[in-house]
Amino acid sequence: MIKYYSITNNQVIEHDISKEEMKKVYYKLTPRQFYLLHELASKTPDSSDEETLNFIDRVLSDSKLSYSSNLKIIKAFLVGEFVVDFSKRYFIHILPGDDTYLNLNSEGEPFLNDMYQWGTHKTIFTKNEIEDMKKEERFRGINFDECLEEALEDDED
């Protein structure tokens, strides 16, 4: 389930918009990123820019999220609008072993590696993304229904 939010006067507000409009929103956050952004929006001090920046830095340092994830949260916070995908997410574990999870690089090229997302490598997928992959010729040898492992919120960045 995907939801659209905006930030106004330090409040995160959910809005009803069409799927077409939702696709135009650049910042798409995971639930974990959303909860952190929600905390930022509701507790950010109004007194000075320096105090606000120090607060944001402190919250993000404590979050244990990656640098790229924190940057995404800050950008969504500054722009004041974002989409959150609350759908369940999955790893695609193709073969037994630790380094046999489906990964996609930044160009969308598949390769096998571990389950950890880092940099621009993607290892966690929604059901919709998996359904789209099932239709692609390059993935025809994968029995997706037998390879899925549910990703927990802590697995995501």
Side-chain angles (χ1 to χ4, degrees):
M1 169 177 33
I2 299 174
K3 295 185 179 183
Y4 168 76
Y5 296 89
S6 68
I7 301 172
T8 308
N9 298 327
N10 289 2
Q11 292 186 345
V12 176
I13 302 167
E14 182 180 337
H15 300 277
D16 292 326
I17 64 171
S18 70
K19 287 185 179 182
E20 291 74 32
E21 290 173 322
M22 212 176 281
K23 289 178 184 175
K24 296 176 188 174
V25 177
Y26 180 72
Y27 297 103
K28 294 176 178 56
L29 305 179
T30 66
R32 187 172 179 191
Q33 292 167 335
F34 167 70
Y35 295 123
L36 187 56
L37 187 141
H38 195 281
E39 180 182 353
L40 282 175
S42 63
K43 296 180 181 175
T44 301
D46 291 325
S47 54
S48 75
D49 288 342
E50 185 176 345
E51 187 178 345
T52 299
L53 290 175
N54 289 336
F55 175 78
I56 291 170
D57 184 51
R58 189 172 63 251
V59 170
L60 294 178
S61 317
D62 293 343
S63 74
K64 296 181 178 68
L65 292 177
S66 71
Y67 173 79
S68 61
S69 189
N70 284 342
L71 190 57
K72 190 176 184 182
I73 291 167
I74 291 169
K75 288 179 179 177
F77 178 74
L78 293 174
V79 169
E81 71 170 4
F82 55 94
V83 171
V84 181
D85 188 348
F86 290 100
S87 305
K88 283 186 178 180
R89 296 180 185 332
Y90 301 89
F91 296 107
I92 303 171
H93 197 175
I94 307 247
L95 298 167
D98 292 337
D99 293 331
T100 57
Y101 289 85
L102 179 65
N103 284 234
L104 296 180
N105 67 18
S106 59
E107 287 83 38
E109 295 298 319
F111 63 98
L112 295 181
N113 203 339
D114 60 32
M115 65 175 22
Y116 303 104
Q117 291 197 139
W118 54 274
T120 58
H121 292 184
K122 182 173 177 62
T123 63
I124 300 175
F125 306 92
T126 64
K127 273 287 196 190
N128 287 341
E129 291 170 326
I130 293 167
E131 290 303 316
D132 289 344
M133 282 190 269
K134 285 180 179 180
K135 298 172 189 169
E136 291 187 45
E137 181 64 25
R138 64 188 175 151
F139 298 119
R140 67 184 156 98
I142 299 173
N143 183 350
F144 285 94
D145 298 326
E146 297 294 323
C147 297
L148 300 184
E149 293 179 5
E150 189 171 342
L152 303 175
E153 193 173 307
D154 287 346
D155 295 325
E156 294 191 61
D157 200 62

